[in-house]
Coordinates of all heavy atoms in Angstrom, one line a residue:
Chain A
N80 N 88.0 -66.9 -35.9 CA 88.6 -66.5 -34.6 C 88.2 -65.1 -34.1 O 88.0 -64.9 -33.0 CB 90.2 -66.6 -34.8 CG 90.6 -68.1 -34.8 OD1 89.9 -69.0 -34.5 ND2 91.8 -68.3 -35.3
Q81 N 88.2 -64.2 -35.1 CA 87.7 -62.9 -34.8 C 86.3 -62.9 -34.2 O 86.0 -62.3 -33.2 CB 87.7 -62.0 -36.0 CG 89.0 -61.3 -36.3 CD 89.0 -60.5 -37.6 OE1 87.9 -60.4 -38.2 NE2 90.1 -59.9 -37.9
A82 N 85.5 -63.7 -34.8 CA 84.1 -63.8 -34.4 C 84.1 -64.5 -33.0 O 83.3 -64.1 -32.1 CB 83.3 -64.7 -35.4
S83 N 85.0 -65.4 -32.8 CA 85.1 -66.1 -31.5 C 85.5 -65.1 -30.4 O 84.9 -65.1 -29.3 CB 86.1 -67.2 -31.6 OG 86.2 -67.9 -30.4
R84 N 86.5 -64.3 -30.7 CA 86.9 -63.3 -29.7 C 85.8 -62.3 -29.4 O 85.6 -61.9 -28.3 CB 88.2 -62.5 -30.3 CG 89.4 -63.3 -30.1 CD 90.6 -62.4 -30.3 NE 90.8 -62.0 -31.7 CZ 91.4 -62.8 -32.6 NH1 92.0 -63.9 -32.2 NH2 91.5 -62.3 -33.8
L85 N 85.1 -61.9 -30.5 CA 84.0 -61.0 -30.3 C 82.9 -61.6 -29.4 O 82.4 -61.0 -28.5 CB 83.4 -60.6 -31.6 CG 82.2 -59.6 -31.6 CD1 82.8 -58.2 -31.2 CD2 81.6 -59.4 -33.0
G86 N 82.6 -62.9 -29.7 CA 81.6 -63.6 -28.9 C 82.0 -63.7 -27.4 O 81.2 -63.5 -26.5
L87 N 83.4 -63.9 -27.2 CA 83.9 -64.0 -25.8 C 83.7 -62.7 -25.1 O 83.3 -62.7 -24.0 CB 85.4 -64.4 -25.9 CG 85.9 -65.1 -24.7 CD1 85.2 -66.4 -24.5 CD2 87.4 -65.4 -24.9
A88 N 84.0 -61.6 -25.8 CA 83.9 -60.3 -25.2 C 82.4 -60.0 -24.9 O 82.1 -59.5 -23.8 CB 84.4 -59.2 -26.2
C89 N 81.5 -60.5 -25.7 CA 80.1 -60.3 -25.5 C 79.7 -61.1 -24.2 O 78.9 -60.6 -23.4 CB 79.3 -60.7 -26.7 SG 79.4 -59.6 -28.0
L90 N 80.2 -62.3 -24.1 CA 79.8 -63.1 -23.0 C 80.4 -62.5 -21.6 O 79.7 -62.6 -20.6 CB 80.4 -64.5 -23.2 CG 79.5 -65.4 -24.1 CD1 80.3 -66.6 -24.5 CD2 78.2 -65.7 -23.6
V91 N 81.6 -62.0 -21.7 CA 82.1 -61.3 -20.5 C 81.2 -60.2 -20.1 O 80.9 -60.0 -18.9 CB 83.6 -60.8 -20.8 CG1 84.1 -59.9 -19.6 CG2 84.5 -62.0 -20.9
A92 N 80.9 -59.4 -21.1 CA 80.0 -58.2 -20.8 C 78.7 -58.7 -20.2 O 78.1 -58.1 -19.3 CB 79.7 -57.4 -22.1
F93 N 78.2 -59.8 -20.8 CA 76.9 -60.4 -20.4 C 77.0 -60.8 -18.9 O 76.1 -60.6 -18.1 CB 76.5 -61.5 -21.3 CG 75.3 -62.3 -20.8 CD1 74.0 -61.7 -20.9 CD2 75.4 -63.5 -20.2 CE1 72.9 -62.4 -20.4 CE2 74.3 -64.2 -19.7 CZ 73.0 -63.6 -19.8
S94 N 78.2 -61.4 -18.6 CA 78.3 -61.9 -17.2 C 78.3 -60.8 -16.2 O 77.7 -60.9 -15.1 CB 79.6 -62.8 -17.1 OG 80.7 -61.9 -17.2
W95 N 79.0 -59.7 -16.6 CA 79.0 -58.5 -15.7 C 77.5 -58.0 -15.5 O 77.1 -57.7 -14.4 CB 79.8 -57.4 -16.3 CG 81.3 -57.6 -16.0 CD1 82.2 -58.2 -16.8 CD2 82.0 -57.1 -14.8 NE1 83.4 -58.2 -16.1 CE2 83.3 -57.5 -14.9 CE3 81.6 -56.4 -13.7 CZ2 84.3 -57.2 -14.0 CZ3 82.5 -56.1 -12.7 CH2 83.9 -56.5 -12.9
I96 N 76.9 -57.9 -16.7 CA 75.5 -57.3 -16.6 C 74.6 -58.2 -15.8 O 73.8 -57.8 -15.0 CB 75.0 -57.1 -18.1 CG1 75.7 -56.0 -18.8 CG2 73.5 -56.8 -18.1 CD1 75.5 -56.0 -20.3
A97 N 74.7 -59.5 -16.0 CA 73.9 -60.5 -15.3 C 74.2 -60.4 -13.8 O 73.2 -60.4 -13.0 CB 74.2 -61.9 -15.8

Side-chain angles (χ1 to χ4, degrees):
Chain A
N80 287 343
Q81 271 179 1
S83 180
R84 279 195 290 275
L85 182 69
L87 206 59
C89 288
L90 283 168
V91 169
F93 173 74
S94 68
W95 277 93
I96 291 165

